[in-house]
Amino acid sequence: GFTLRGPVRMYVDLMLWFGYEFDSDPQLPWAAQALASSPAEEQMARAKALYDAAQAYAERVLGLQREHAIDALDRLGRIPTTGWPHFDDGFNDALMAHLGKLYPQKFEYAGAATVRPLIRRAAKLAWRLDARLELAVALVTALMFVGGHGVEKDPLYTWAIEELSASKRPNPPDRVAKLYERLSRFTAAAQGDFARQPE
């Protein structure tokens, strides 16, 4: 229901900050709550409610100087490539523990019950792309956790899905290795972008 320039611009900004489908992301319940008010309500009031909720979340999870988000991006770019248990041998618990260390502020805010389903979503995507490897699921889950649950459709992250696609390379380990390389480059650039954003 946003049609005025200010609310539309703010909404697009929030998509860039919190992910393409931030409004439906279970990790960000404040977004759906702010947008759930009556459509008849004046859009500037709804936009302000969304902005205020986003600001409160950003201060708590991103950090006052975005330091928590920058640290999480740094850790995302250095996610372990070895040592993951097999899928049937404690993989989910190991990955959940890693996500808690990857972005502790977001993990605490969202809660384990909200974060755990991301593993299933990432596994379904890896299976569909014929990349049934523990590292593939770990990388995609971590990207969904940090970048938002809609990374598969997010124009900012299309490269990730492309790298995992069989059309790129026939060998799944090669695709996962390339995804890791691209992810490391992306997070390094994103850290700089976050640091340069105006207050």
Side-chain angles (χ1 to χ4, degrees):
F2 291 156
T3 58
L4 298 176
R5 188 166 108 179
V8 169
R9 178 177 177 177
M10 178 202 65
Y11 193 89
V12 173
D13 285 345
L14 293 181
M15 291 173 71
L16 293 170
W17 275 101
F18 301 121
Y20 183 67
E21 296 181 337
F22 81 93
D23 59 313
S24 62
D25 194 333
Q27 301 174 94
L28 309 173
W30 51 265
Q33 291 165 7
L35 293 169
S37 55
S38 169
E41 186 177 345
E42 205 270 326
Q43 67 174 289
M44 290 303 292
R46 285 185 289 113
K48 184 178 186 308
L50 182 61
Y51 176 82
D52 290 345
Q55 283 290 102
Y57 174 83
E59 289 180 9
R60 177 174 171 182
V61 175
L62 274 63
L64 293 176
Q65 303 295 324
R66 302 176 188 85
E67 65 276 9
H68 302 324
I70 293 170
D71 289 345
L73 285 167
D74 178 58
R75 288 188 286 266
L76 177 62
R78 296 184 288 107
I79 190 170
T81 57
T82 59
W84 293 103
H86 293 299
F87 288 127
D88 58 354
D89 191 27
F91 174 79
N92 286 12
D93 290 339
L95 182 50
M96 285 291 289
H98 182 79
L99 295 176
K101 296 175 183 175
L102 173 64
Y103 201 159
Q105 297 82 9
K106 187 170 187 179
F107 193 90
E108 179 184 358
Y109 182 93
T114 299
V115 175
R116 188 175 288 273
L118 294 179
I119 301 176
R120 290 194 294 272
R121 291 189 62 170
K124 286 180 181 178
L125 177 58
W127 260 241
R128 182 159 55 80
L129 297 175
D130 190 27
R132 304 182 182 194
L133 301 170
E134 287 81 1
L135 181 56
V137 174
L139 291 174
V140 174
T141 303
L143 194 55
M144 288 179 172
F145 176 54
V146 174
H149 78 148
V151 294
E152 183 180 357
K153 300 175 184 177
D154 195 327
L156 290 179
Y157 300 106
T158 52
W159 52 267
I161 310 308
E162 289 171 357
E163 292 299 351
L164 274 185
S165 172
S167 62
K168 294 285 286 187
R169 296 168 192 79
N171 189 17
D174 290 344
R175 282 182 263 142
V176 177
K178 187 63 176 178
L179 171 60
Y180 182 82
E181 177 189 324
R182 290 284 304 275
L183 180 61
S184 296
R185 294 206 309 264
F186 172 82
T187 55
Q191 287 176 69
D193 289 344
F194 261 69
R196 287 190 296 271
Q197 285 291 328
E199 294 300 320

